[in-house]
Each structure stands twice: as C-alpha cells, then as structure tokens.
C-alpha cells in the first residue's frame, strides 16, 4: 500500500517541493510554486510521496463553497513529477487521488501520458527539437512556412529582443481588446510582469523598414522548453504572417542547442496546420474530467 500524503499550500515545504520540481525529469514551469501561486491565488494543494520524492500539484477553485479542480489558464500541463520513473502502481495511486475530487479539467504531462496512459482524453502538443543545425531545421519546414519567412526577409522585417511589454500591450489593446474577458486585464498584467521579474519571459518585437511596429511575440521559459505564449500584430499593416518570422528567429538563435520550441498545441485545424509547418514532433498530454454539467456540483 502506497502512502501518499495530501499537503495544503499553506503547509507545503516550499524548499523541498521546489527541489522536487527542479530536479524532475519531466520538469515544467507550470508546476513551480510561484507560478501556481500566481495562477490560482494560492488555491492549490499537493499529493506527496515520501520526502517529496514524487509530487502531484492540484489547482483548486470554489463554487457555492464546493471545492473542485480546474486547470488554470496559461498552464497546459501538470500531473505527477518525479526525478526517476516510478512504478505503474505508484502512478495509479496518485491518479486515484485525483479521481476523488470533482474535476472539471486536469492535464497530465506528456511524460505521464506516454509512460503511464492515465485515464482521459489525449490532446496534441507540438515540440520542435532544436539540437540540429538551423539549415536542417529550416529544410524541414513546410513550403508555406519557408515562403512566409522569406517574404518577411525580403520586406526587411527586423526583430528586437526586449523586456518591455509596452509594444505588446499596445497592440493587444488596439486589435485584440475584444478577446479580453471581464476582470482578466489586471490579472494578465500581473502575470506578464511577474514572468519578467522571474526571468521567465522572452519578448520579440517586430518592425518594418520604416520602423513601424508590426507585431510582438512572447515566449515562456521553462528550462529547455521555450513555450509560445502569445502573439499580437498590427492588423492594418502586417499581412505576411510575421508570427512565423518571430518563431523562426528564436529557432535560428537556439539552433544546435539542447532546447525545444514548445508550440503548446491546438485542436483547431488551422492553428494546428500552422504549427505543423515547422516540422515539430507530435506529443500528447491527457485531459481528465469526471463531470460535465452544473448538476455535478450538487
């Protein structure tokens, strides 16, 4: 019988938990203490085996005073984290702990999905291995992606790395404000500012030859993974898919290194096709839910 202990956030040994995540072979920034605190307002708890040898963070929400599990925004994958692979039986013991909750949505990470096949629906992610010469990576792009990038080059598009969110915010407010849900604006600002303070955000602003702002691309840094976080553009003057050029720029910079571009995947066919154009590996993570309507609250 496996002894797995539930620890509330307020009782968490932050140092031991942080070490467990940092040393995990399936590390994700999504599981970091500061990251989960930011996304859930400290509303999460953790199942722990041994002396923090294996951990499974659980993000929580409350409705009508009832606790349930919901995967936060900007948090694609959680699940069970371990320094070395664990037995099937131990993983299943963790999985059963999750099933005890009312779960609207919980995502097991790619390594969990591939090795242990947890219950739930498999969703697609795209991961591009950068440990190759840039020329070889570029040749694996689709014809459409190569065409997009060469067009941006002919037009003289320039990429500037920055830690200033001003341009990204300006483009979002001008062209994407309709996507901002009520009450989310303040959170998004706090989220982005926290990532900058933690050194976990990379920003590329794109300009044309006349120095007009075309677009801005953000990447979330998760050790070897550089995660595509958000892209915005000037819809009046940017008409040549600068998103491909921005992503290719980081690929060019990191080519030959032991890194990955994580596109975060999509079940939307058009978006998925765009990502597939970079020649990435198709990976799967698992979406688990055990209720489907408000009736399950009662």
């Amino acid at each position: 019988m496996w002894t797995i202990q539930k620890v509330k956030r307020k009782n968490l040994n932050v140092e031991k938990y942080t070490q467990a995540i940092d040393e995990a072979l399936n590390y994700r920034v999504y599981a970091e203490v500061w990251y989960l605190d930011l996304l859930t307002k400290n509303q999460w708890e953790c199942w722990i085996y041994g002396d923090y040898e294996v951990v499974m963070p659980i993000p929580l929400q409350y409705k009508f005073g009832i606790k349930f599990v919901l995967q936060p925004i900007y948090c694609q994958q959680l699940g069970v984290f371990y320094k070395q692979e664990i037995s099937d039986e131990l993983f299943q013991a963790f999985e059963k702990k999750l099933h005890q909750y009312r779960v609207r949505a919980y995502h097991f990470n790619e390594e969990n999905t591939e090795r242990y096949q947890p219950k739930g629906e498999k969703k697609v992610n795209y991961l591009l291995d950068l440990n190759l010469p840039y020329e070889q990576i570029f040749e694996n792009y689709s014809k459409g992606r190569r065409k997009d990038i060469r067009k941006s080059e002919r037009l003289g598009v320039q990429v500037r790395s920055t830690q200033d969110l001003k341009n990204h915010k300006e483009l979002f407010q001008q062209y994407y404000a309709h996507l901002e849900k009520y009450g989310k604006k303040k959170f998004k600002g706090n989220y982005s500012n926290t990532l900058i303070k933690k050194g976990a955000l990379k920003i590329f602003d794109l300009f044309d030859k006349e120095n007009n702002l075309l677009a801005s691309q953000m990447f979330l840094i998760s050790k070897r993974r550089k995660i595509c976080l958000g892209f915005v553009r000037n819809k009046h003057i940017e008409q040549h898919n600068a998103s491909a050029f921005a992503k290719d720029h980081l690929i060019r910079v990191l080519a030959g290194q032991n890194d990955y571009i994580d596109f975060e995947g999509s079940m939307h066919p058009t978006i998925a096709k765009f990502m597939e154009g970079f020649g990435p590996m198709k990976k799967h993570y698992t979406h688990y839910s055990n209720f489907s309507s408000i009736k399950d609250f009662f």
Side-chain angles (χ1 to χ4, degrees):
M1 183 70 179
W2 301 104
T3 302
I4 303 175
Q5 179 183 6
K6 181 170 72 174
V7 178
K8 294 184 180 298
R9 169 62 185 92
K10 65 181 180 180
N11 298 323
L12 190 74
N13 185 318
V14 173
E15 183 178 350
K16 288 185 177 182
Y17 175 88
T18 298
Q19 182 177 358
I21 296 300
D22 186 60
E23 295 179 352
L25 62 83
N26 53 344
Y27 170 87
R28 298 290 190 279
V29 68
Y30 309 123
E32 292 269 17
V33 170
W34 64 268
Y35 197 85
L36 281 173
D37 283 351
L38 176 64
L39 297 191
T40 70
K41 297 182 179 179
N42 290 44
Q43 291 186 352
W44 60 285
E45 55 197 28
C46 190
W47 289 94
I48 295 168
Y49 171 73
D51 190 21
Y52 287 78
E53 296 165 37
V54 186
V55 299
M56 181 173 71
I58 305 291
L60 303 173
Q61 283 200 5
Y62 294 84
K63 190 168 186 177
F64 308 125
I66 299 174
K67 179 171 73 174
F68 63 96
V69 176
L70 180 64
Q71 193 83 11
I73 188 173
Y74 304 128
C75 183
Q76 189 194 62
Q77 301 176 34
L78 289 174
V80 184
F81 295 90
Y82 34 77
K83 188 174 181 179
Q84 297 178 336
E85 284 193 353
I86 59 178
S87 68
D88 293 352
E89 292 78 12
L90 179 54
F91 183 88
Q92 290 163 8
F94 272 98
E95 191 176 2
K96 288 178 181 177
K97 297 298 184 184
L98 174 68
H99 295 173
Q100 295 173 5
Y101 295 86
R102 295 178 177 87
V103 184
R104 289 186 64 185
Y106 188 82
H107 296 170
F108 288 96
N109 58 67
E110 294 158 13
E111 290 85 349
N112 289 173
T113 299
E114 182 176 356
R115 171 66 175 80
Y116 302 103
Q117 299 293 311
K119 293 181 181 178
E121 176 190 2
K122 287 185 179 180
K123 290 186 174 292
V124 175
N125 190 28
Y126 294 102
L127 201 64
L128 180 63
D129 188 351
L130 300 178
N131 196 18
L132 293 169
Y134 172 74
E135 293 75 16
Q136 187 173 340
I137 297 173
F138 184 81
E139 285 303 311
N140 286 330
Y141 291 177
S142 68
K143 183 178 179 180
R145 290 296 79 74
R146 294 197 300 268
K147 182 179 178 181
D148 291 336
I149 292 160
R150 286 165 175 157
K151 184 173 182 180
S152 291
E153 290 174 342
R154 289 197 303 272
L155 292 172
V157 175
Q158 300 295 316
V159 181
R160 300 174 192 169
S161 180
T162 179
Q163 287 296 288
D164 190 340
L165 283 164
K166 177 178 177 295
N167 288 331
H168 194 96
K169 289 179 177 178
E170 179 182 301
L171 289 172
F172 187 91
Q173 289 303 315
Q174 188 169 357
Y175 298 102
Y176 300 87
H178 62 285
L179 300 177
E180 194 77 85
K181 293 183 179 179
Y182 178 76
K184 294 293 185 181
K185 183 176 180 180
K186 183 177 180 181
F187 165 77
K188 188 172 182 179
N190 291 339
Y191 172 75
S192 301
N193 290 330
T194 300
L195 294 189
I196 288 176
K197 291 177 183 177
K198 289 287 185 178
L201 189 65
K202 183 179 287 291
I203 309 165
F204 291 149
D205 289 341
L206 283 69
F207 299 84
D208 65 15
K209 289 189 295 187
E210 286 72 40
N211 206 39
N212 296 308
L213 177 64
L214 294 175
S216 182
Q217 170 76 62
M218 295 195 303
F219 295 93
L220 172 63
I221 307 303
S222 180
K223 288 193 177 179
R224 293 168 57 195
R225 292 188 181 222
K226 310 304 183 282
I227 301 167
C228 297
L229 190 60
F231 175 81
V232 291
R233 67 183 177 91
N234 183 325
K235 294 183 179 180
H236 289 148
I237 61 174
E238 195 287 299
Q239 301 293 334
H240 55 276
N241 208 348
S243 175
F245 193 66
K247 293 171 176 62
D248 175 74
H249 178 80
L250 184 59
I251 291 168
R252 188 188 298 263
V253 169
L254 296 177
Q257 300 182 35
N258 195 23
D259 282 314
Y260 296 90
I261 296 291
D262 185 337
F263 291 95
E264 277 213 326
S266 178
M267 303 303 285
H268 189 286
T270 301
I271 299 174
K273 184 177 180 181
F274 172 79
M275 296 173 180
E276 289 171 351
F278 288 92
M281 301 177 285
K282 182 181 285 189
K283 309 291 278 187
H284 292 92
Y285 61 98
T286 301
H287 165 89
Y288 175 78
S289 177
N290 60 13
F291 78 90
S292 58
S293 73
I294 192 66
K295 292 186 295 183
D296 293 293
F297 276 120
F298 302 99

